[in-house]
């Protein structure tokens, strides 16, 4: 095989109580990439559509993640990459993670799968380091493993795949405002109180248990963030209103997707998720901010060949 075309899913990271450790892959929104094995050494981005992003290998997360893989491989040739972006960069649904994971997953497939998924996460994290300055894994892990993932530990890297209840649907609204990842990191406190810690890890344990046992009520009760959301949400106009109407419409829970400005809600069943989408849209229509909305089942497979 010399060429492969892949679907690279969007992902929601943090998921309320799981700051920097939890993430989930989405089914109906993602980028497409075509990766070709070539004799010429190195990596070249030959085409990039859909977004205005750098195509120099060292400035594009796909290039940087790919170079991290090549550095560990004994393959003598190189790769050419086409990226077709459907996910807007900086939206908070893992735009950079989709490109870095797509590149390393496809290269690994073309080389006959010499690397494990965990190794691919490590390579893709180098792309995240370029995008945000921090080599976090909470978007790249679910893109590669599918479903929900928990980063139990960063050193050593330990990723735990978590099952997804069959009727769990996500609604994501992306208000078209700019929130710089660096700003949304800067305003966070570096210390938390023991009281907040206790509430947060209670909810994180509850959410993971709810996902394993398909207990939708427990999932809903656990989707609470005592630490990051109260601070970060001030950067997202309309956040409190979107959250309250989502909960009134029947969402299980609602919070900031990644570092924002996208807001996600989980619902039981597609109909509830679509009703939540309608309620969210009304909020931004009234405020006068443009938006994109995605309603999606959880993607349990992760990146796939198309
Ligand atoms: P998101 O939270 O949606 O992933 P990030 O802020 O993490 O957004 O990533 C976007 C940043 O990564 C932008 O600065 C963008 O220029 C950079 N970037 C480099 N290559 C890519 C790529 N292939 N896809 C998306 N973003 C990229």
């Amino acid at each position: 095989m010399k060429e492969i075309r892949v679907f690279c899913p969007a992902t929601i990271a943090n998921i309320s109580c799981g700051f920097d450790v939890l993430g989930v892959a989405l089914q109906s929104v993602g980028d497409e990439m075509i990766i070709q094995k070539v004799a010429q050494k190195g990596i070249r981005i030959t085409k990039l559509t859909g977004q205005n992003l750098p195509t120099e290998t060292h400035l594009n997360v796909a290039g940087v993640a790919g170079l991290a893989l090549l550095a560990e491989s004994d393959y003598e040739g190189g790769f050419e990459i086409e990226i077709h972006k459907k996910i807007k960069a900086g939206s908070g649904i893992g735009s950079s993670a989709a490109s870095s994971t797509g590149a390393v997953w496809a290269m690994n497939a073309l080389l006959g799968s010499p690397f494990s998924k965990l190794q691919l996460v490590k390579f893709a994290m180098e792309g995240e380091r370029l995008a945000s300055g921090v080599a976090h894994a909470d978007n790249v892990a679910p893109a590669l493993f599918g479903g929900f993932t928990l980063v139990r530990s960063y050193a050593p890297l330990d990723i735990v795949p978590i099952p997804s209840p069959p009727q769990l649907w996500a609604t994501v609204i992306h208000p078209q405002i700019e929130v710089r990842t660096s700003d949304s990191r800067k305003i966070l406190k570096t210390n938390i109180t023991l009281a907040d810690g206790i509430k947060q890890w209670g909810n994180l344990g509850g959410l993971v248990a709810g996902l394993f046992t398909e207990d939708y009520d427990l999932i809903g009760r656990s989707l609470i963030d005592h630490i990051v959301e109260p601070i970060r949400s001030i950067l997202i106009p309309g956040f409190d209103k979107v959250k309250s109407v989502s909960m009134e419409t029947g969402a299980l829970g609602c919070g900031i997707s990644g570092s924002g400005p996208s807001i996600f809600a989980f619902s039981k069943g597609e109909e509830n998720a679509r009703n939540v989408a309608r309620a969210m849209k009304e909020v931004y229509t009234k405020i006068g901010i443009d938006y994109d909305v995605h309603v999606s089942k959880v993607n349990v497979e992760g990146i796939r060949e198309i």
Side-chain angles (χ1 to χ4, degrees):
M1 188 165 55
K2 286 202 70 159
E3 186 184 287
I4 190 167
R5 189 186 186 102
V6 291
F7 170 79
C8 321
T11 44
I12 300 170
N14 297 337
I15 315 186
S16 300
C17 49
F19 182 65
D20 269 3
V21 298
L22 269 189
V24 64
L26 300 179
Q27 181 96 314
S28 63
V29 49
D31 294 344
E32 283 181 25
M33 294 172 79
I34 301 168
I35 289 92
Q36 213 183 344
K37 229 168 140 183
V38 293
Q40 195 185 343
K41 272 184 193 290
I43 290 175
R44 279 161 304 280
I45 318 275
T46 53
K47 200 170 185 185
L48 198 156
T49 66
Q51 289 281 282
N52 188 14
L53 290 165
T55 51
E56 295 91 332
T57 305
H58 285 87
L59 298 179
N60 192 295
V61 298
V64 168
L67 288 174
L69 180 148
L70 278 188
E72 299 281 314
S73 164
D74 49 19
Y75 169 57
E76 298 281 313
F79 293 95
E80 287 183 356
I81 303 177
E82 271 185 35
I83 309 175
H84 302 285
K85 300 293 295 181
K86 308 270 165 64
I87 313 170
K88 290 189 177 152
S91 55
I93 52 169
S95 174
S96 50
S99 292
S100 41
T101 53
V104 297
W105 189 92
M107 287 178 199
N108 190 45
L110 291 172
L111 294 175
S113 301
F115 297 108
S116 69
K117 275 190 186 167
L118 194 65
Q119 285 173 300
L120 296 183
V121 170
K122 283 188 190 162
F123 302 143
M125 283 167 71
E126 293 308 314
E128 294 295 74
R129 194 193 301 282
L130 173 71
S132 68
V134 183
H136 58 95
D138 48 349
N139 289 105
V140 296
L144 283 162
F145 282 81
F148 285 84
T149 53
L150 172 75
V151 187
R152 190 206 58 82
S153 155
Y154 274 92
L157 188 64
D158 187 1
I159 308 286
V160 184
I162 297 167
S164 174
Q167 292 188 71
L168 200 61
W169 281 72
T171 309
V172 179
I173 190 155
H174 173 210
Q176 312 285 294
I177 51 159
E178 198 190 344
V179 175
R180 280 192 287 165
T181 309
S182 54
D183 287 342
S184 60
R185 282 241 164 219
K186 233 184 291 168
I187 62 165
L188 295 180
K189 291 186 284 188
T190 48
N191 292 305
I192 61 164
T193 64
L194 185 59
D196 278 346
I198 290 166
K199 287 187 267 183
Q200 194 87 349
W201 55 66
N203 282 317
L204 180 56
L207 178 55
V208 171
L211 292 168
F212 267 94
T213 57
E214 299 182 11
D215 183 336
Y216 294 91
D217 289 336
L218 177 57
I219 292 168
R221 294 202 299 284
S222 307
L223 283 168
I224 300 169
D225 177 2
H226 290 282
I227 295 171
V228 175
E229 183 181 299
I231 299 171
R232 266 196 180 162
S233 57
I234 56 177
L235 296 176
I236 307 172
F239 176 83
D240 291 340
K241 187 72 187 157
V242 167
K243 183 164 177 160
S244 63
V245 298
S246 299
M247 299 309 289
E248 283 157 22
T249 311
L252 298 168
C254 176
I256 302 169
S257 178
S259 55
S262 287
I263 303 170
F264 79 93
F266 283 137
S267 299
K268 185 177 181 184
E270 182 176 0
E271 198 186 332
N272 285 332
R274 296 210 178 273
N275 290 338
V276 169
R278 257 192 300 278
M280 286 177 164
K281 284 186 207 174
E282 264 175 37
V283 175
Y284 282 117
T285 304
K286 271 194 198 137
I287 302 177
I289 294 177
D290 286 343
Y291 51 78
D292 291 324
V293 177
H294 309 288
V295 176
S296 175
K297 234 185 149 165
V298 170
N299 171 354
V300 292
E301 193 184 3
I303 295 179
R304 64 173 195 276
E305 188 178 356
I306 49 173

